Structures are given as structure tokens and as C-alpha cells.
Amino acid sequence: MERVYNFSAGPSMLPVEVLEQAQKDMLNYGGSGMSVMEMSHRSKWFDDIIKSAEADLRELMNVPDNYKVMFLQGGGSTQFAMIPLNLMTGGKCDLVNTGQWSKKAMAEAKKFGTVNVVASSEDKVFNYIPALDKASFSPDADYFYICYNNTIYGTRYTQLPDTGNVPLVADMSSMIMSEEVDVSKFGLIFAGAQKNIGPAGVTVVIMREDLIGNAKEDCPTMLNYKTHADAGSLYNTPPCYSVYIAGLVFKWLKEKGGVAAMQKINEEKAAILYDFLDNSMMFRGTVVPKDRSLMNVPFVTDDDDLNAKFIKEATNAGFVNLKGHRTVGGMRASIYNAMPVEGVQKLVEFMKKFETDNK
Ligand SMILES: *Cc1c(COP(=O)(O)O)cnc(C)c1O
């Protein structure tokens, strides 16, 4: 079986061990005589799957007891609307604009109230995380919104804004469980699964309990967090198979030593790639060093034709999905939890050889 090194930004690679377990379970899950895709979401097997997934997630992220964990649908993009629908009770939020994903969140929030953009990195094609001045924060904001790791531009927060009593809301779609975070610092965390924790179809929401139940009367039932929090994510049919695979990924992560151990590996992988980029005469990273993502590494040469040649030859050599986002160009290597160190080492070897051959 020939598998490639898949550097896709999402949906992205899953651990082989997880795929093998899913293969074993495919026709007959746990003696049920059926696959997870075929069973009732009210069955005892699925009840165990979703409860174990939640328990493992809580353990991995050290989620405090006063937070609810929800497995929802609609992707990260539905959260852009659900957040203002549920949290914008006073009609105002603060937001840091670090690129497309925060812009989309801003566009939805504007439908429900005022968005105060406290800082933006748009002046330099979002290649850094802007410094934040507390004087520009709104003390009466309903929440303060950030995109923790920008998948497209490859930026990452290393220091959280001090928002005082204003709940901090973070889009962690492309970094959840890749490094340790203190959940208690946030009012709400969300992440579409398809980057770091499973297949597309499920979105994880971790929400402080006192923020639940404040949506207006006319909030659609399915878009009200209270609906899902009260029903243990079983108000309607959840994305059963995606929850099951995410659960397997959580077990895999626990076996690897948890998030702290994974963070070490991720730092090692990122260092291998960034060190090479910093020393290369042909390739360079596009993000300022202090704000570089551990997960998404955009890089370029100074020549579009050379970029295209590189992507083509890399693909032929089994390093796939290295093309940069259409709004940025160049290349991007997404090196999520499931990417082994060896994948990054081999990529760097390939880049070195390409550089020598194309001098
Ligand atoms: C991929 C992504 C999204 C959008 O997720 P969908 O599930 O496609 O709606 C939102 N935010 C970030 C940071 C992402 O990487």
C-alpha cells in the first residue's frame, strides 16, 4: 500500500492507526453486527462512542467542569453566525482581523451588531499577528473574537489578549490539540474537525456554561447552543461517523502522551522546516518569525514558474497538496498532528535537492 505525505490544509491526513482501526470496525462495530454509519444515534454503542469522545476531549484539553463540550454540524463557518446569534446580547463585539477566517466571522457578526476591529494585519497581507493596545478594546463588548491560528497565512498567537471580563472567543480550527491551551481563559472555543481532529462534518464547541442560554427568542433552535448543550449533542442526529473517528483520534493522541507530548513533536517538526527556510537561498517563509504557525507553513521562491515546478515535482515524488492558498500563492505545508516527523524531514530533503538541482 502506497501512501503519500499529505500536506493538505484540510481535510487533512489522519493517523494510519486510526484508519486501520476504522477499517477493522467497518462491517461490525463492537459486536453490533453493523457499522457505526448504520446504527441509531440512540443505540448503546453510539452512546458509548460520543460519551467517550467527550470524556477523552475533556481529559486531553483539561476542560474545566463549568464548560460544556458540544459536537455540532455546519463546520467552522456556521460558528461565525452562531457566535453573534448567541453572544451578541448588547450588540457589540471586538475582533482582531488576521485574515480571511476572521473577516468571514466579522461579516456574519455585522449582521447582528457592531464589530469593533481592534487591530488588523491586512497592511502586510496578514503575515503577522498585530500588537494589541488595550485602550482600543471596548469594555462593554459582548465578546472579543480571535482566530488563534490562521490556516491560510500561517500565523499563530503566542500571547492572548487580556480582555478582562469580556469573554474571549477563539477559532481553533487549525490548531486544536496541537499545543496546550488554558481553556479557562476562553468563553468559547470552536474548531471544525477536518484539520486536526477528524473528518469533516463535526465541529467541536467548548463553551463556558454561564454564556449558554442568552440567545434571543427568535434564534433558530438548531443555532441555539442551549439546544445542543441540554441534549448532550443529541438533539437531532449528530454526524455519527465523524464523531466516532474523532473519538479514535483522541484515543490515539492519549496513547502518544497527550497534547503536551504532541506539542513537543509539533515544535520539532516546525523547527525542521523553518530552519531550512531560514537558511535556504531559494525558499523563504512568508510569516514574521515570532508569529509563525506550528501547523501551517507558507513559503515561496521569488519566481512563480519555479513555485509551479516545485509543486509539480514534489507531487510526483509523493509530497502532495503543497500548493498555497489561492489568495496567497506559492506553497504551504500543513503539518498537523497526524504528520509524522519523518514526513517533514523527507520534505526538507526533497527541497534541498530541488534547490541544488535548480540553482
Ligand atoms: C477551515 C477553517 C474554517 C472553516 O471551516 P469549515 O468547516 O469549512 O466551515 C474556519 N476557520 C479556520 C481557522 C479554518 O482553518
Side-chain angles (χ1 to χ4, degrees), residues 72-84:
L72 306 183
Q73 301 192 61
S77 300
T78 298
Q79 294 310 306
F80 299 157
M82 270 178 91
I83 288 161

Side-chain angles (χ1 to χ4, degrees), residues 4-8 13 262-277 283 293-299 310 314 317-320 322 332-353:
V4 292
Y5 287 112
N6 180 6
F7 294 90
S8 170
M13 63 182 294
M262 189 50 69
Q263 178 172 351
K264 276 217 172 70
I265 299 170
N266 287 331
E267 284 166 350
E268 187 192 336
K269 287 185 314 202
I272 294 169
L273 196 42
Y274 288 123
D275 284 350
F276 169 72
L277 291 170
F283 298 100
S293 169
L294 295 176
M295 298 282 99
N296 311 99
V297 183
F299 58 95
F310 173 76
F319 305 100
V320 307
L322 282 165
R332 170 178 52 172
S334 294
I335 49 176
Y336 297 118
N337 286 354
M339 173 62 68
V341 176
E342 180 201 75
V344 179
Q345 285 167 336
K346 293 233 165 102
L347 173 66
V348 165
E349 276 167 38
F350 179 82
M351 290 168 77
K352 277 185 185 153
K353 183 164 185 308

Side-chain angles (χ1 to χ4, degrees), residues 165-274:
N165 288 329
V166 174
L168 184 58
V169 171
D171 177 355
M172 296 198 184
S173 294
S174 48
M175 55 65 70
I176 190 166
M177 295 189 190
S178 69
E179 62 178 284
E180 289 191 288
V181 294
D182 180 352
V183 173
S184 72
K185 293 229 160 29
F186 298 86
L188 187 153
I189 290 167
F190 72 92
Q194 71 271 25
K195 278 50 185 257
N196 227 356
I197 53 176
V202 62
T203 305
V204 167
V205 174
I206 304 168
M207 187 170 183
R208 218 174 65 205
E209 274 170 359
D210 62 288
L211 298 172
I212 299 173
N214 300 326
K216 289 202 198 84
E217 280 283 297
D218 61 2
C219 179
T221 308
M222 279 296 287
L223 299 181
N224 193 328
Y225 290 117
K226 189 168 175 7
T227 303
H228 305 286
D230 287 352
S233 303
L234 290 167
Y235 169 75
N236 71 325
T237 318
C240 301
Y241 200 74
S242 297
V243 171
Y244 154 74
I245 299 283
L248 293 181
V249 171
F250 300 158
K251 294 218 182 317
W252 173 83
L253 209 44
K254 279 170 65 176
E255 266 169 35
K256 292 266 165 193
V259 174
M262 189 50 69
Q263 178 172 351
K264 276 217 172 70
I265 299 170
N266 287 331
E267 284 166 350
E268 187 192 336
K269 287 185 314 202
I272 294 169
L273 196 42
Y274 288 123

Side-chain angles (χ1 to χ4, degrees), residues 129 132 146 148 156-161:
I129 298 284
L132 301 179
I146 61 168
Y148 202 107
R156 158 203 185 220
Y157 282 81
T158 49
Q159 215 186 342
L160 291 176

